[in-house]
Amino acid sequence: MKADEGSLAQLMRLSQQGDKRAYTVLLGECAGWLERYYRRRVPPHQIDDLVQDVLLALHRKRSSWDPARAFLPWLAAIARYRWVDHLRKVYRSETAQLENHDGAVDSEEDAIMARLSLDRLFVQLSDPQAEVIEMVKIEGLSIREASERSGQSESLVKVNIHRGLKKLAALVEKAE
Amino acid sequence: MNQPHAALIAELAETLEPVRAMKARDGIMLVALAAAVTVLAVWLAVGIREGITTGSASPFFFITNGLLLVLAMAATAVAVALAGPSIGRRTDAATWAIAMVGILPLTALASALPFGESVSLLIDPHSFYCLVSAVAASLLSFAVLAAWLRRGAPVSTPAAGLFAGVAAGAIGSFAYGLSCQIDTLAHLGVWHVLPVLVAGLAGLLLLPRIIRW
């Protein structure tokens, strides 16, 4: 059975007072909630790491919950913050790969995941940005191949990918 | 118990200590205390100008400092609230308060420039002194807000930094403004508002690095 807002808030109130039993129950409920939250947002093999990351953040920042406020929006905001942080790291490492580009996405699984993450937000990008991100990050073309097919110079392809990914990260951060 | 995370949960529960919940009221009280100490320090250091209680100061004096005080309260409430993770927009009140105070420098410019005067008309011998003094007067509130945000868990660090800076700048400018003898529109509208911009930019650029978690 999933705990409701009132029960979670009560458990958190007790946890802030040092009740270890309530805290154990609370963290178990939060872990389940976070798994469901991340299931539609990140590849399956990254869920456990993100859930544990948020549990640690919750532990470290548990004093930042004001008992006068709702608990789930507080948890959701932390979950989103850590998710955006996770995306930034992914994008940063992907951008770094572009700098010494050898080409393509490493595996078919990565390509599917990239599509899952980016598709919903692609409409927000300019056509040249979406086009080259699609080619390089999803189809797996090299920068040179994307440049030839899109008619953009190689440096413009890199710039468009970099700016497009940055914009995606910002969009995710703004999303409520 | 959630099985994949059972070990971590057990470890976290084992190390659990009671904590004092961060309540917005506490943060606002801390900033109010910092503002009161700043006003007192200004009073002791340079004195409070005459004419406040008798009403002989110019209307611009009351309007400018009143608006800065309102901005300080709105931005403080927002910055303090941003220390706690939450979903949704919480910055509207302070954004409108900034726009409201922004009318002052626009009015100063509009009243000077259409008559063919140069922008130098807006600069007087005390301009930079007032700017630097007001920025200095904002430091205590800035530090208090930075500490509050660092203790909390802001999920929008640029917004938290910006509004903390604006709040500190408005407090500093208000506090120092109580001592300033010059009450022309040009002086108050530009040189007593500029510290808010300076502190806001400092908050936006410096604080996210300090409060990121």
Side-chain angles (χ1 to χ4, degrees):
Chain A
M1 195 180 79
K2 293 175 197 170
D4 58 14
E5 164 64 40
S7 314
L8 291 170
Q10 179 59 19
L11 287 169
M12 185 62 179
R13 230 169 265 128
L14 293 169
S15 301
Q16 284 184 329
Q17 292 161 17
D19 185 329
K20 294 182 180 180
R21 191 175 295 176
Y23 195 46
T24 305
V25 176
L26 175 74
L27 290 181
E29 292 294 338
C30 289
W33 188 92
L34 290 166
E35 280 171 4
R36 293 190 292 278
Y37 178 87
Y38 285 128
R39 207 168 284 152
R40 285 174 301 161
R41 289 175 171 82
V42 296
H45 69 271
Q46 293 174 1
I47 291 177
D48 280 354
D49 281 350
L50 260 173
V51 169
Q52 298 204 355
D53 187 29
V54 176
L55 292 179
L56 285 166
L58 185 158
H59 182 72
R60 212 154 38 91
K61 296 294 184 179
R62 63 192 184 279
S63 67
S64 69
W65 179 65
D66 181 346
R69 302 181 71 94
F71 175 79
L72 278 172
W74 179 81
L75 179 64
I78 293 179
R80 195 182 68 187
Y81 180 75
R82 302 312 303 179
W83 174 44
V84 170
D85 206 41
H86 167 80
L87 285 179
R88 273 206 204 97
K89 283 175 194 160
V90 170
Y91 290 157
R92 210 173 292 143
S93 90
E94 288 184 352
T95 306
Q97 282 174 26
L98 283 170
E99 300 298 324
N100 319 305
H101 196 269
D102 50 348
V105 180
D106 292 326
S107 68
E108 190 179 344
E109 187 190 16
D110 282 347
I112 292 166
M113 252 110 63
R115 177 173 287 285
L116 280 173
S117 312
L118 300 174
D119 256 5
R120 285 179 304 148
L121 298 166
F122 258 32
V123 286
Q124 307 283 339
L125 301 180
S126 69
D127 288 343
Q129 288 172 348
E131 183 184 25
V132 292
I133 289 175
E134 173 94 26
M135 287 178 185
V136 175
K137 304 311 295 175
I138 297 177
E139 291 180 29
L141 299 185
S142 68
I143 295 290
R144 180 172 297 174
E145 288 165 337
S147 165
E148 285 165 4
R149 200 196 284 184
S150 66
Q152 300 177 29
S153 69
E154 287 188 26
S155 58
L156 188 57
V157 169
K158 286 183 184 178
V159 167
N160 274 332
I161 291 175
H162 178 73
R163 288 185 182 164
L165 291 177
K166 200 171 164 189
K167 189 171 178 184
L168 286 174
L171 286 167
V172 168
E173 194 162 8
K174 277 183 196 164
E176 288 176 7
Chain B
M1 171 74 69
N2 193 295
Q3 289 307 320
H5 311 294
L8 176 68
I9 289 172
E11 192 183 326
L12 294 179
E14 192 51 44
T15 58
L16 183 71
E17 298 284 344
V19 289
R20 183 181 161 83
M22 291 177 71
K23 294 177 181 164
R25 190 189 53 203
D26 296 344
I28 289 170
M29 291 299 287
L30 277 172
V31 179
L33 186 64
V37 169
T38 305
V39 170
L40 189 64
V42 167
W43 188 11
L44 292 174
V46 286
I48 300 292
R49 67 162 289 161
E50 293 170 2
I52 296 178
T53 50
T54 57
S56 60
S58 92
F60 292 133
F61 172 85
F62 292 105
I63 290 169
T64 304
N65 287 304
L67 289 176
L68 285 170
L69 184 60
V70 171
L71 174 60
M73 292 191 288
T76 296
V78 167
V80 164
L82 285 173
S86 187
I87 302 282
R89 235 178 121 77
R90 292 174 288 170
T91 55
D92 285 352
T95 305
W96 285 108
I98 291 171
M100 192 176 67
V101 169
I103 290 171
L104 292 170
L106 290 178
T107 308
L109 284 170
S111 63
L113 298 182
F115 298 102
E117 303 286 354
S118 100
V119 180
S120 61
L121 189 74
L122 299 172
I123 303 172
D124 59 68
H126 301 282
S127 300
F128 292 102
Y129 179 76
C130 281
L131 170 63
V132 172
S133 301
V135 170
S138 70
L139 290 177
L140 179 63
S141 307
F142 193 88
V144 166
L145 280 163
W148 176 262
L149 289 169
R150 197 167 153 73
R151 188 182 152 214
V155 291
S156 178
T157 51
L162 173 68
F163 286 106
V166 167
I171 289 168
S173 195
F174 167 78
Y176 179 73
L178 295 176
S179 74
C180 182
Q181 301 290 339
I182 305 168
D183 50 16
T184 63
L185 172 62
H187 179 80
L188 292 171
V190 174
W191 300 100
H192 285 235
V193 174
L194 213 48
V196 178
L197 180 68
V198 172
L201 282 174
L204 178 66
L205 298 174
L206 300 177
L207 285 183
R209 296 173 201 183
I210 298 169
I211 62 179
R212 190 175 290 282
W213 52 283

